[in-house]
Amino acid sequence: MIGVIDTEGDCAEWTFPAEPGAVRAARAAVRDRLRGWGLDSLADVTALLVSELVTNALRHATGPVGVRLSRPTAPLGVLLVEVSDSLPDPPRALAPHPDDEGGRGLQLVASSSRAWGTRPGTAGKTVWFELAVPG
């Protein structure tokens, strides 16, 4: 069950349970909201990066995963995306070998976004990234 916190206005927030279907549900929710905002051009990359961060949260933390989108306020603004989980430790970028099946999620976030980072929360952390809105 998805906990929809808010999807009106300039922000959209959801809480997803710590179960395998959360990744698919997060991708779908993000795509739908971006379409509703007229930001279809960002839907694929945003859904991919959210998938990576939600997957990391499911692998390393316990409890629900929060996803939040903040719509840009100007035509050439920035889409802010945040993924929160209960683990206070910041994520670590790995240096995977070419044959490794995982370990590239944060590299993908770093190379695909305008900026990214982490910040502590009251009970865990938030990993965020920004995507430039094409003009």
Side-chain angles (χ1 to χ4, degrees):
M1 175 82 177
I2 299 172
V4 177
I5 297 170
D6 184 16
T7 57
E8 299 298 321
D10 291 335
C11 290
E13 296 183 62
W14 305 269
T15 300
F16 300 95
E19 54 191 42
V23 176
R24 180 178 36 243
R27 273 195 312 262
V30 164
R31 283 181 186 281
D32 288 347
R33 183 68 263 161
L34 291 176
R35 280 189 201 108
W37 285 343
L39 297 173
D40 299 49
S41 62
L42 294 177
D44 287 342
V45 69
T46 306
L48 173 65
L49 299 181
V50 165
S51 290
E52 292 295 331
L53 295 178
V54 170
T55 297
N56 284 351
L58 293 176
R59 283 190 180 146
H60 303 290
T62 59
V65 178
V67 176
R68 183 175 191 269
L69 304 178
S70 295
R71 179 166 56 178
T73 56
L76 297 177
V78 209
L79 175 70
L80 174 64
V81 181
E82 300 169 305
V83 176
S84 302
D85 64 49
S86 62
L87 186 67
D89 303 330
R92 293 179 327 167
L94 302 176
H97 296 289
D99 294 335
D100 288 349
E101 291 185 18
R104 293 175 181 80
L106 288 178
Q107 290 177 352
L108 189 57
V109 170
S111 65
S112 300
S113 63
R114 182 176 158 244
W116 77 280
T118 64
R119 69 174 181 276
T122 55
K125 69 168 170 314
T126 297
V127 180
W128 59 269
F129 63 89
E130 296 178 346
L131 296 173
V133 175

